Protein backbone atom coordinates (compact mmCIF):
# COMPACT_ATOMS: atom_id res chain seq x y z
CA UNK A 1 0.00 0.00 0.00
CA UNK A 2 1.27 3.46 -0.83
CA UNK A 3 2.56 5.41 2.09
CA UNK A 4 0.15 8.13 3.18
CA UNK A 5 1.29 11.36 4.66
CA UNK A 6 -1.03 14.26 5.44
CA UNK A 7 -4.15 14.60 7.58
CA UNK A 8 -5.55 11.66 9.61
CA UNK A 9 -8.60 11.64 7.28
CA UNK A 10 -6.41 10.19 4.56
CA UNK A 11 -6.32 6.93 6.49
CA UNK A 12 -10.08 6.59 5.93
CA UNK A 13 -10.40 7.98 2.40
CA UNK A 14 -7.68 9.12 0.08
CA UNK A 15 -8.68 8.63 -3.59
CA UNK A 16 -11.67 10.93 -3.08
CA UNK A 17 -9.81 13.42 -0.86
CA UNK A 18 -9.16 16.89 -2.19
CA UNK A 19 -5.95 16.95 -0.21
CA UNK A 20 -4.34 14.50 -2.64
CA UNK A 21 -6.27 15.52 -5.78
CA UNK A 22 -6.84 19.29 -5.65
CA UNK A 23 -8.43 19.65 -9.10
CA UNK A 24 -12.21 19.24 -9.20
CA UNK A 25 -13.50 16.16 -11.01
CA UNK A 26 -15.86 16.67 -13.94
CA UNK A 27 -18.19 13.80 -14.79
CA UNK A 28 -19.14 13.75 -18.47
CA UNK A 29 -21.90 11.59 -19.96
CA UNK A 30 -23.13 11.95 -23.52
CA UNK A 31 -21.66 15.44 -23.68
CA UNK A 32 -23.32 16.60 -20.43
CA UNK A 33 -20.98 17.66 -17.63
CA UNK A 34 -21.26 17.87 -13.86
CA UNK A 35 -18.58 19.46 -11.66
CA UNK A 36 -15.99 22.24 -11.80
CA UNK A 37 -18.38 24.98 -12.92
CA UNK A 38 -20.74 22.70 -14.85
CA UNK A 39 -24.14 22.27 -13.21
CA UNK A 40 -26.26 19.13 -13.60
CA UNK A 41 -30.03 19.57 -13.79
CA UNK A 42 -31.28 16.03 -13.22
CA UNK A 43 -35.03 15.49 -13.42
CA UNK A 44 -37.58 12.80 -14.05
CA UNK A 45 -40.09 10.56 -12.36
CA UNK A 46 -39.39 8.89 -9.05
CA UNK A 47 -40.40 5.62 -10.67
CA UNK A 48 -40.91 4.37 -14.21
CA UNK A 49 -44.59 3.44 -13.95
CA UNK A 50 -45.68 3.30 -17.59
CA UNK A 51 -44.17 4.06 -21.00
CA UNK A 52 -46.51 7.05 -21.45
CA UNK A 53 -45.82 8.56 -18.01
CA UNK A 54 -42.07 8.24 -18.52
CA UNK A 55 -41.98 9.57 -22.09
CA UNK A 56 -44.27 12.48 -21.27
CA UNK A 57 -42.03 13.46 -18.35
CA UNK A 58 -38.82 12.92 -20.32
CA UNK A 59 -40.02 15.14 -23.19
CA UNK A 60 -41.08 17.89 -20.80
CA UNK A 61 -37.88 17.96 -18.77
CA UNK A 62 -35.75 17.80 -21.94
CA UNK A 63 -37.68 20.72 -23.44
CA UNK A 64 -37.19 22.71 -20.22
CA UNK A 65 -33.43 22.18 -20.30
CA UNK A 66 -32.75 19.25 -17.96
CA UNK A 67 -29.36 17.68 -18.62
CA UNK A 68 -29.96 14.16 -17.25
CA UNK A 69 -33.15 12.05 -16.97
CA UNK A 70 -33.76 10.18 -13.73
CA UNK A 71 -36.20 7.29 -13.16
CA UNK A 72 -36.28 4.19 -11.00
CA UNK A 73 -36.84 0.76 -12.55
CA UNK A 74 -35.74 -1.20 -9.49
CA UNK A 75 -37.26 0.56 -6.48
CA UNK A 76 -36.20 0.21 -2.84
CA UNK A 77 -39.55 0.33 -1.01
CA UNK A 78 -39.98 0.42 2.73
CA UNK A 79 -42.91 -2.01 2.53
CA UNK A 80 -42.44 -5.29 0.65
CA UNK A 81 -46.09 -4.92 -0.49
CA UNK A 82 -45.49 -1.54 -2.17
CA UNK A 83 -44.87 -1.32 -5.94
CA UNK A 84 -41.30 -2.50 -6.50
CA UNK A 85 -40.81 -0.98 -9.96
CA UNK A 86 -41.04 -2.45 -13.45
CA UNK A 87 -37.52 -3.89 -13.35
CA UNK A 88 -36.18 -4.90 -16.79
CA UNK A 89 -39.25 -3.46 -18.53
CA UNK A 90 -38.54 -0.15 -16.82
CA UNK A 91 -34.99 -0.14 -18.17
CA UNK A 92 -36.35 -0.65 -21.70
CA UNK A 93 -38.65 2.35 -21.27
CA UNK A 94 -35.76 4.48 -20.01
CA UNK A 95 -33.69 3.47 -23.04
CA UNK A 96 -36.55 4.55 -25.29
CA UNK A 97 -36.80 7.90 -23.46
CA UNK A 98 -33.09 8.46 -24.00
CA UNK A 99 -33.41 7.53 -27.66
CA UNK A 100 -36.13 10.12 -28.12
CA UNK A 101 -34.74 12.98 -26.00
CA UNK A 102 -30.99 12.39 -26.16
CA UNK A 103 -30.81 12.78 -22.37
CA UNK A 104 -28.46 10.49 -20.47
CA UNK A 105 -30.13 8.22 -17.92
CA UNK A 106 -29.52 7.78 -14.22
CA UNK A 107 -31.25 4.81 -12.60
CA UNK A 108 -30.81 2.86 -9.39
CA UNK A 109 -29.08 -0.48 -8.94
CA UNK A 110 -30.33 -2.46 -5.94
CA UNK A 111 -28.82 -5.89 -6.39
CA UNK A 112 -25.29 -6.84 -7.51
CA UNK A 113 -26.86 -9.60 -9.64
CA UNK A 114 -28.43 -6.91 -11.86
CA UNK A 115 -25.26 -4.89 -12.36
CA UNK A 116 -24.63 -5.86 -15.99
CA UNK A 117 -28.25 -5.38 -17.00
CA UNK A 118 -28.45 -1.94 -15.36
CA UNK A 119 -25.03 -0.88 -16.67
CA UNK A 120 -26.14 -1.79 -20.19
CA UNK A 121 -28.82 0.94 -20.08
CA UNK A 122 -27.74 3.42 -17.40
CA UNK A 123 -25.35 6.21 -18.28
CA UNK A 124 -24.99 6.80 -14.54
CA UNK A 125 -25.70 4.12 -11.92
CA UNK A 126 -27.48 5.34 -8.81
CA UNK A 127 -26.74 3.81 -5.43
CA UNK A 128 -29.64 4.78 -3.22
CA UNK A 129 -29.56 6.06 0.33
CA UNK A 130 -30.50 2.66 1.72
CA UNK A 131 -27.51 1.03 0.07
CA UNK A 132 -24.83 3.56 0.95
CA UNK A 133 -23.55 1.08 3.54
CA UNK A 134 -23.82 -1.93 1.21
CA UNK A 135 -20.09 -2.31 0.75
CA UNK A 136 -20.29 -5.27 -1.66
CA UNK A 137 -22.64 -3.33 -3.93
CA UNK A 138 -20.29 -0.32 -3.76
CA UNK A 139 -17.34 -2.50 -4.76
CA UNK A 140 -19.43 -4.00 -7.58
CA UNK A 141 -20.13 -0.61 -9.16
CA UNK A 142 -16.50 0.23 -8.61
CA UNK A 143 -15.72 -2.37 -11.27
CA UNK A 144 -18.07 -1.18 -14.03
CA UNK A 145 -17.26 1.56 -16.54
CA UNK A 146 -20.13 3.85 -15.53
CA UNK A 147 -20.19 6.93 -13.31
CA UNK A 148 -21.95 6.37 -9.98
CA UNK A 149 -24.42 8.70 -8.26
CA UNK A 150 -24.00 7.85 -4.59
CA UNK A 151 -26.69 9.05 -2.19
CA UNK A 152 -26.01 9.77 1.45
CA UNK A 153 -27.80 7.43 3.86
CA UNK A 154 -30.29 9.31 6.07
CA UNK A 155 -28.29 8.53 9.22
CA UNK A 156 -24.79 8.66 7.78
CA UNK A 157 -22.22 11.31 8.57
CA UNK A 158 -20.46 13.20 5.81
CA UNK A 159 -17.33 11.23 6.63
CA UNK A 160 -19.20 7.92 6.21
CA UNK A 161 -20.43 9.13 2.79
CA UNK A 162 -16.84 9.85 1.79
CA UNK A 163 -15.73 6.41 2.94
CA UNK A 164 -18.56 4.84 0.93
CA UNK A 165 -17.33 6.74 -2.14
CA UNK A 166 -13.84 5.46 -1.41
CA UNK A 167 -15.16 1.87 -1.64
CA UNK A 168 -16.20 2.62 -5.23
CA UNK A 169 -13.01 4.47 -6.13
CA UNK A 170 -10.79 1.79 -4.58
CA UNK A 171 -12.02 -0.72 -7.18
CA UNK A 172 -10.90 1.58 -9.99
CA UNK A 173 -14.00 3.68 -10.67
CA UNK A 174 -13.25 7.22 -9.54
CA UNK A 175 -16.23 8.73 -11.38
CA UNK A 176 -18.52 9.26 -8.37
CA UNK A 177 -21.10 12.01 -7.83
CA UNK A 178 -22.11 12.54 -4.19
CA UNK A 179 -25.71 13.39 -3.33
CA UNK A 180 -27.13 14.96 -0.18
CA UNK A 181 -30.81 13.93 0.09
CA UNK A 182 -31.82 14.74 3.66
CA UNK A 183 -30.98 13.21 7.00
CA UNK A 184 -33.05 11.95 9.92
CA UNK A 185 -33.63 14.51 12.66
CA UNK A 186 -36.40 15.18 15.18
CA UNK A 187 -38.08 17.64 12.77
CA UNK A 188 -41.45 16.43 11.41
CA UNK A 189 -42.48 19.26 9.06
CA UNK A 190 -40.37 17.78 6.27
CA UNK A 191 -39.76 14.14 5.33
CA UNK A 192 -36.05 14.45 6.19
CA UNK A 193 -33.92 17.48 7.04
CA UNK A 194 -31.88 18.75 4.12
CA UNK A 195 -28.33 19.09 5.43
CA UNK A 196 -27.13 21.99 3.34
CA UNK A 197 -23.96 22.26 5.40
CA UNK A 198 -22.91 19.00 3.82
CA UNK A 199 -22.46 20.80 0.51
CA UNK A 200 -19.65 23.20 1.47
CA UNK A 201 -18.15 20.61 3.83
CA UNK A 202 -18.00 18.03 1.05
CA UNK A 203 -16.72 20.56 -1.47
CA UNK A 204 -13.83 21.24 0.90
CA UNK A 205 -13.09 17.57 1.62
CA UNK A 206 -13.39 16.05 -1.83
CA UNK A 207 -12.72 16.78 -5.48
CA UNK A 208 -15.86 14.86 -6.47
CA UNK A 209 -19.00 16.68 -7.68
CA UNK A 210 -21.67 17.22 -5.02
CA UNK A 211 -25.36 17.43 -5.87
CA UNK A 212 -28.55 17.83 -3.82
CA UNK A 213 -31.89 16.02 -4.03
CA UNK A 214 -34.43 18.39 -2.44
CA UNK A 215 -37.39 16.16 -3.42
CA UNK A 216 -36.68 13.29 -1.04
CA UNK A 217 -35.41 15.70 1.63
CA UNK A 218 -38.58 17.79 1.66
CA UNK A 219 -41.17 15.14 0.82
CA UNK A 220 -43.35 18.09 -0.34
CA UNK A 221 -43.34 19.56 -3.81
CA UNK A 222 -43.90 23.14 -2.55
CA UNK A 223 -40.50 23.12 -0.83
CA UNK A 224 -38.50 21.70 -3.73
CA UNK A 225 -37.82 25.03 -5.47
CA UNK A 226 -36.66 27.02 -2.38
CA UNK A 227 -34.45 24.14 -1.23
CA UNK A 228 -33.03 23.66 -4.73
CA UNK A 229 -32.23 27.38 -4.98
CA UNK A 230 -30.50 27.23 -1.60
CA UNK A 231 -28.52 24.17 -2.73
CA UNK A 232 -27.24 26.01 -5.80
CA UNK A 233 -26.33 29.02 -3.65
CA UNK A 234 -24.49 26.71 -1.20
CA UNK A 235 -22.26 25.57 -4.05
CA UNK A 236 -23.89 22.35 -5.28
CA UNK A 237 -22.78 21.05 -8.68
CA UNK A 238 -26.31 19.95 -9.50
CA UNK A 239 -29.77 19.15 -8.26
CA UNK A 240 -31.89 16.07 -8.80
CA UNK A 241 -35.66 16.48 -8.64
CA UNK A 242 -38.70 14.26 -9.17
CA UNK A 243 -41.26 15.23 -11.81
CA UNK A 244 -44.55 13.51 -12.69
CA UNK A 245 -47.41 14.29 -15.10
CA UNK A 246 -50.01 13.66 -12.37
CA UNK A 247 -48.36 13.52 -8.94
CA UNK A 248 -51.71 12.67 -7.30
CA UNK A 249 -51.73 9.35 -9.21
CA UNK A 250 -48.03 8.50 -8.69
CA UNK A 251 -47.28 4.97 -7.47
CA UNK A 252 -44.42 6.28 -5.34
CA UNK A 253 -43.52 9.63 -3.73
CA UNK A 254 -46.50 11.55 -5.18
CA UNK A 255 -46.49 14.44 -2.66
CA UNK A 256 -42.92 15.46 -3.49
CA UNK A 257 -43.03 15.29 -7.29
CA UNK A 258 -43.21 18.52 -9.28
CA UNK A 259 -45.98 18.57 -11.88
CA UNK A 260 -44.66 18.31 -15.47
CA UNK A 261 -46.33 21.62 -16.34
CA UNK A 262 -44.49 23.38 -13.52
CA UNK A 263 -41.01 22.11 -14.31
CA UNK A 264 -40.27 24.85 -16.88
CA UNK A 265 -40.63 27.57 -14.26
CA UNK A 266 -38.56 25.52 -11.82
CA UNK A 267 -35.76 25.17 -14.40
CA UNK A 268 -35.85 28.92 -15.16
CA UNK A 269 -35.53 29.79 -11.47
CA UNK A 270 -32.64 27.38 -11.02
CA UNK A 271 -30.80 28.69 -14.08
CA UNK A 272 -30.96 32.20 -12.60
CA UNK A 273 -29.16 31.09 -9.43
CA UNK A 274 -26.72 28.90 -11.41
CA UNK A 275 -25.75 31.98 -13.46
CA UNK A 276 -25.36 34.07 -10.28
CA UNK A 277 -22.92 31.44 -9.03
CA UNK A 278 -20.90 31.83 -12.22
CA UNK A 279 -21.69 28.28 -13.37
CA UNK A 280 -23.06 26.85 -16.58
CA UNK A 281 -25.85 24.29 -16.85
CA UNK A 282 -23.81 21.38 -18.26
C1 LIG B 1 -34.43 7.82 -5.47
O1 LIG B 1 -33.76 8.85 -5.72
O2 LIG B 1 -35.03 7.21 -6.36
C2 LIG B 1 -34.51 7.31 -4.10
C3 LIG B 1 -35.07 6.14 -3.83
O3 LIG B 1 -33.99 8.14 -3.17
P1 LIG B 1 -33.22 7.77 -1.81
O4 LIG B 1 -32.32 6.60 -2.10
O5 LIG B 1 -32.48 9.04 -1.50
O6 LIG B 1 -34.29 7.47 -0.79
MN1 LIG C 1 -38.64 8.86 -5.01
Amino acid sequence: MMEITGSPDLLAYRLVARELTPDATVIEVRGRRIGDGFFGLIAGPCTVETREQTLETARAVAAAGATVLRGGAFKPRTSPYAFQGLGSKGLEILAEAREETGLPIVTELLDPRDVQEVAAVADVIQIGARNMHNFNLLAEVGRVPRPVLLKRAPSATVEELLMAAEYVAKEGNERVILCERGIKTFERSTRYTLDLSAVPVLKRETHLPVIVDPSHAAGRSDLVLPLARAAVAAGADGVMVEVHPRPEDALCDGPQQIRVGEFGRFADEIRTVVALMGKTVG
Side-chain angles (χ1 to χ4, degrees):
M1 185 174 287
M2 72 174 168
E3 202 192 325
I4 297 298
T5 54
S7 74
D9 290 342
L10 294 177
L11 296 172
Y13 54 88
R14 54 198 71 157
L15 296 170
V16 307
R18 202 181 263 282
E19 200 171 331
L20 295 184
T21 310
D23 290 344
T25 290
V26 181
I27 309 281
E28 181 163 354
V29 277
R30 295 180 186 268
R32 309 306 180 117
R33 287 169 287 190
I34 301 180
D36 199 23
F38 294 104
F39 188 87
L41 184 52
I42 308 174
C46 170
T47 305
V48 176
E49 300 169 3
T50 66
R51 180 173 174 273
E52 291 67 32
Q53 165 252 6
T54 303
L55 291 179
E56 181 180 347
T57 309
R59 284 182 201 120
V61 301
T67 58
V68 179
L69 177 67
R70 64 148 288 143
F74 296 96
K75 292 302 297 179
R77 301 305 301 278
T78 304
S79 166
Y81 304 111
F83 178 55
Q84 305 285 310
L86 294 178
S88 308
K89 178 71 195 156
L91 294 177
E92 275 174 37
I93 294 170
L94 286 169
E96 188 181 345
R98 172 179 51 211
E99 187 69 29
E100 193 180 315
T101 61
L103 291 181
I105 302 288
V106 56
T107 195
E108 183 164 351
L109 172 70
L110 284 182
D111 186 326
R113 291 170 294 189
D114 299 325
V115 69
Q116 292 309 328
E117 189 187 356
V118 170
V121 169
D123 297 290
V124 178
I125 298 178
Q126 181 168 320
I127 298 296
R130 287 154 195 80
N131 275 315
M132 191 207 87
H133 296 291
N134 187 339
F135 302 123
N136 293 335
L137 189 64
L138 296 173
E140 196 69 42
V141 292
R143 294 188 285 264
V144 294
R146 291 283 175 278
V148 173
L149 195 169
L150 175 61
K151 300 189 85 175
R152 179 184 183 180
S155 302
T157 63
V158 165
E159 189 187 23
E160 286 166 332
L161 173 60
L162 288 165
M163 290 189 281
E166 187 80 13
Y167 265 95
V168 180
K170 185 169 176 286
E171 296 302 315
N173 186 356
E174 297 189 27
R175 294 197 295 163
V176 182
I177 301 164
L178 302 174
C179 181
E180 158 62 30
R181 46 75 76 209
I183 56 175
K184 288 211 166 167
T185 71
F186 52 80
E187 181 53 53
R188 296 272 78 87
S189 57
T190 47
R191 188 176 178 189
Y192 296 91
T193 297
L194 183 63
D195 179 14
L196 272 184
S197 315
V199 176
V201 171
L202 283 166
K203 295 293 293 176
R204 194 190 59 211
E205 289 300 318
T206 179
H207 54 89
L208 298 175
V210 177
I211 69 165
V212 167
D213 169 353
S215 303
H216 288 89
R220 298 167 41 176
S221 59
D222 61 322
L223 299 184
V224 172
L225 175 60
L227 293 179
R229 274 197 298 237
V232 184
D237 298 297
V239 291
M240 178 161 80
V241 298
E242 291 188 337
V243 184
H244 194 285
R246 287 163 300 282
E248 59 281 5
D249 297 333
L251 297 179
C252 183
D253 289 348
Q256 72 196 32
Q257 302 205 54
I258 300 173
R259 196 173 293 281
V260 156
E262 285 161 16
F263 182 74
R265 188 176 79 84
F266 173 88
D268 285 343
E269 299 262 4
I270 293 307
R271 272 189 291 267
T272 303
V273 192
V274 170
L276 276 175
M277 294 300 291
K279 295 183 180 174
T280 312
V281 175

